[in-house]
Amino acid sequence: MSLMGQMMQMPLLISSLLTHAARHSGDTEIVSKRVEGDVHRTNWAQLAVRARKVAQALARLGCQPGDRVGTLAWNGYRHLELYYGTSGSQLVCHTINPRLFPEQIAWIVGDADDKVLCFEINFLPLVEKLLPHLGRVQHFVLMAGRSHMPASSPIPNLLCYEELVEAENGDYVWPQFDENTASSICYTSGTTGNPKGAVYSHRSSLLHAFGAALPDAMGCSARDVILPVVPMFHVNAWGLPYATALVGCKVVFPGPHLDGKSLFELFENEKVTFSAGVPTVWLGLLTYVKQNNLKFSSFKRTVIGGSACPPAMIRTLEDDYGVEVIHAWGMTEMSPLGTLSKLKSKHESLDEDSKRRILEKQGKVIYGVDMEIVDDDNKPLPWDGKASGNLVVRGHWVIDRYYRNDRSPLVEVAGLDGQWFPTGDVAAIDEDAYMQITDRSKDVIKSGGEWISSIELENIAMAHPAVHEAAVIACPHPKWDERPLLVVVKKPGGELTREQMLGFFEGRIAKWQIPDDVVFVDELPHTATGKLQKLKLREQFRGHQLPA
Ligand code: ADP
């Protein structure tokens, strides 16, 4: 007979994070730049009270355990109150990406079957427009005070968030329930077909928060001031709403104000030490600081992920601004953290260039996630840093299946235990277990039976001083099947010809991998989460004639 452990049984519930932060870091600030334009200050203790009032208010509206509550909101304290008020009271927080096409938003709200929809004032016109398609939503809540309520609206019985909160007394005890209960839903951006829902549990979210806070992950501490640029509607802002409560640090929310100037001012005024976001937001911030000859006084580290961070961006942030870049990889289906790039102690003695080459990779997994690369028959490939194949993962915070879809997405891997989630990414893993993404399987360029990494070509182009942004897509080719086409946005005032750009690749990559052509454009299309939209770009250049 085995001996059972004799420790307390406490379910891993999201509400416990907030209770912890309120009890032990109650006076630590939460600062939000609001949609309304002003800066709002609260702290973990006050936020916990208001989150309990939100739970009471939602119960008063008739919400039952398991009901979904949709949010259309920027990063801010009210959104955080909803995160905790919903999940904490056994409701499911459904964060919706407002940058999706309106039809997709309506589809997602319907698929999730949101009972309540909470949204900020700038999304009022959107919700009014979508109203005919939101038939199953029972309550609409405008996340604002009475003075911002519209005099009239086609939305029947539009509720005022502040009034709902103020009507409650906060005398509420977070219920205890099974830690495997759903806490939130996030939809993938659905670059092909309809978006798919990933349903997180309390347990997966808590374990992910522990993992995220570790020193070799985001390394969050009570001494940090954390500004999540990554939106709370994008995979729970990479877990920061939970990890910040777990460590009890100060949090700064930028609201919708994500331009370089607003971000810089907020970083400086609030003494931000740590941030996280996709590469495109840092492009804007870096352009602003450079143009104005500014330096950061408190900003020390940032996680960059969501799409490949160009090495040139890492260099600029580290060498010119003293900001450590932690390159990270993950996806909606993984809550999202998979790998982060931090050195091992055996790397400490390497020269700077060798260290950097390691840190430019997407990194090593944190405990809780395992990964493997496999060939098309799901047989593992060697970890030699050269062989690249389909990346599969498994772990405590990786989805088992998609919402409302009984077909398992998982695969078996020859010789390994369990079932694995195929990420759709192509990667290599080196001898030290560092993973490097070569491409998304649908973006890789197949030239004469060989694969060319679009990311590698983009990284080279981005290192040219006159290049602001670059994308590489496959162009059909009569002989080679596909050949790379480089699409470039020049920096303001940047001088660059097609020949100069192509010449820049010489000696930096094998000759046969150099793009066949370069096109200059004013702007590249981005997805709702700020990533390059290759599908759209491929459509845009469908008829493009490569030079003979
Ligand atoms: P969506 O699929 O909705 O765009 P995700 O945010 O889930 O949203 O995107 C996950 C994908 O983003 C990954 O599968 C990978 O292709 C890409 N990605 C994320 N981080 C990185 C990174 N650091 N380098 C390269 N690609 C990345």
Side-chain angles (χ1 to χ4, degrees):
M1 262 273 273
S2 63
L3 175 66
M4 298 307 288
Q6 297 177 348
M7 310 307 285
M8 291 186 189
Q9 284 288 330
M10 292 163 60
L12 297 172
L13 296 180
I14 282 175
S15 56
S16 68
L17 290 170
L18 187 57
T19 304
H20 169 78
R23 278 176 62 80
H24 302 282
S25 311
D27 61 354
T28 303
E29 271 191 309
I30 296 166
V31 181
S32 309
K33 186 122 186 235
R34 298 202 284 191
V35 185
E36 293 93 322
D38 56 349
V39 173
H40 172 275
R41 289 177 185 275
T42 179
N43 60 32
W44 282 111
Q46 289 165 6
L47 193 120
V49 175
R50 287 190 29 118
R52 292 199 298 269
K53 292 184 179 183
V54 168
Q56 290 177 306
L58 289 168
R60 197 176 298 280
L61 291 179
C63 287
Q64 302 283 337
D67 280 346
R68 272 75 69 195
V69 175
T71 66
L72 274 168
W74 302 106
N75 291 5
Y77 68 102
R78 289 189 184 117
H79 207 175
L80 193 62
E81 291 162 5
L82 277 164
Y83 258 59
Y84 283 101
T86 53
S87 304
S89 63
Q90 224 174 331
L91 305 176
V92 181
C93 183
H94 171 210
T95 53
I96 306 164
N97 186 337
R99 296 199 192 109
L100 293 172
F101 287 124
E103 306 77 57
Q104 270 188 333
I105 294 179
W107 186 90
I108 287 177
V109 171
D111 190 60
D113 201 10
D114 292 331
K115 186 165 189 171
V116 181
L117 185 61
C118 304
F119 52 96
E120 287 187 301
I121 46 177
N122 54 322
F123 300 124
L124 180 63
L126 173 70
V127 176
E128 289 181 344
K129 189 173 122 202
L130 289 179
L131 194 61
H133 309 285
L134 303 177
R136 289 183 59 87
V137 176
Q138 292 177 18
H139 302 284
F140 292 88
V141 180
L142 190 68
M143 294 165 66
R146 176 49 48 193
S147 63
H148 284 92
M149 296 299 287
S152 71
S153 165
I155 300 173
N157 189 23
L158 180 62
L159 299 166
C160 167
Y161 181 88
E162 288 302 327
E163 282 184 354
L164 290 179
V165 171
E166 278 155 26
E168 304 298 338
N169 59 12
D171 197 358
Y172 177 86
V173 180
W174 296 114
Q176 298 291 301
F177 45 86
D178 184 340
E179 64 187 21
N180 291 301
T181 305
S183 59
S184 46
I185 302 191
C186 198
Y187 280 76
T188 61
S189 18
T191 28
T192 50
N194 271 328
K196 289 181 282 211
V199 182
Y200 310 118
S201 69
H202 284 257
R203 174 187 160 83
S204 73
S205 304
L206 253 85
L207 292 175
H208 180 269
F210 275 112
L214 286 173
D216 273 354
M218 297 195 182
C220 307
S221 90
R223 294 165 300 287
D224 273 314
V225 178
I226 298 188
L227 186 151
V229 176
V230 51
M232 290 167 77
F233 55 73
H234 187 201
V235 213
N236 299 329
W238 300 350
L240 285 171
Y242 308 129
T244 49
L246 184 138
V247 300
C249 67
K250 172 171 168 180
V251 190
V252 182
F253 289 121
H257 312 280
L258 300 177
D259 59 289
K261 181 172 190 286
S262 308
L263 276 181
F264 180 80
E265 285 170 4
L266 203 56
F267 271 70
E268 287 305 299
N269 292 343
E270 302 301 331
K271 303 266 173 287
V272 172
T273 61
F274 174 78
S275 185
V278 296
T280 29
V281 298
W282 305 117
L283 276 181
L285 182 61
L286 284 173
T287 306
Y288 176 77
V289 283
K290 180 139 198 231
Q291 271 170 357
N292 295 282
N293 242 327
L294 301 165
K295 290 272 180 224
F296 297 102
S297 64
S298 53
F299 189 21
K300 294 280 176 315
R301 317 183 312 286
T302 184
V303 167
I304 301 186
S307 49
C309 180
M313 180 176 284
I314 302 183
R315 266 198 305 281
T316 306
L317 273 161
E318 298 201 341
D319 297 349
D320 301 352
Y321 299 101
V323 178
E324 179 198 356
V325 174
I326 305 157
H327 192 191
W329 167 85
M331 60 197 311
T332 305
E333 290 87 338
M334 300 177 69
S335 307
L337 288 181
T339 63
L340 297 104
S341 221
K342 287 276 186 96
L343 296 179
K344 295 184 176 178
S345 58
K346 71 183 209 185
H347 298 135
E348 293 295 347
S349 56
L350 293 177
D351 60 74
E352 288 307 310
D353 271 359
S354 312
K355 281 187 192 164
R356 200 150 261 178
R357 272 197 296 280
I358 297 168
L359 294 173
E360 284 167 1
K361 300 189 178 195
Q362 277 73 7
K364 52 193 175 65
V365 291
I366 29 180
Y367 167 78
V369 178
D370 197 0
M371 65 180 170
E372 184 55 279
I373 42 171
V374 297
D375 64 14
D376 287 340
D377 299 323
N378 287 332
K379 291 211 184 68
L381 292 166
W383 290 18
D384 59 7
K386 293 185 198 78
S388 77
N390 303 317
L391 182 63
V392 297
V393 292
R394 66 193 305 250
H396 302 295
W397 52 80
V398 177
I399 63 158
D400 186 49
R401 56 187 181 274
Y402 287 102
Y403 184 52
R404 291 189 197 283
N405 191 335
D406 290 333
R407 229 185 57 224
S408 170
L410 308 184
V411 297
E412 311 245 330
V413 173
L416 288 181
D417 266 355
Q419 298 220 296
W420 297 71
F421 177 77
T423 63
D425 286 326
V426 178
I429 303 178
D430 68 19
E431 294 84 347
D432 288 327
Y434 285 74
M435 185 274 286
Q436 182 161 31
I437 298 273
T438 336
D439 240 319
R440 272 192 157 185
S441 49
K442 52 187 181 292
D443 293 337
V444 65
I445 297 141
K446 297 178 182 114
S447 168
E450 302 267 10
W451 287 9
I452 302 177
S453 155
S454 65
I455 293 179
E456 195 173 355
L457 298 180
E458 285 158 9
N459 284 346
I460 294 175
M462 289 289 288
H464 192 287
V467 172
H468 176 70
E469 209 180 0
V472 173
I473 50 168
C475 228
H477 190 280
K479 179 168 174 198
W480 301 111
D481 223 11
E482 290 178 350
R483 289 295 302 160
L485 166 68
L486 171 63
V487 188
V488 169
V489 180
K490 286 190 241 182
K491 281 199 180 137
E495 295 278 341
L496 185 63
T497 64
R498 175 182 177 279
E499 286 62 37
Q500 287 167 337
M501 185 72 256
L502 290 177
F504 191 70
F505 283 89
E506 307 264 348
R508 290 183 161 89
I509 196 162
K511 248 199 158 74
W512 65 273
Q513 297 184 331
I514 296 179
D516 281 29
D517 203 4
V518 184
V519 185
F520 295 99
V521 295
D522 292 336
E523 207 181 354
L524 288 170
H526 290 101
T527 66
T529 47
K531 305 179 189 198
L532 282 173
Q533 209 171 9
K534 298 244 174 125
L535 198 69
K536 194 148 181 197
L537 210 57
R538 278 197 289 268
E539 272 163 29
Q540 198 176 327
F541 287 96
R542 183 171 295 158
H544 185 80
Q545 285 294 326
L546 293 172

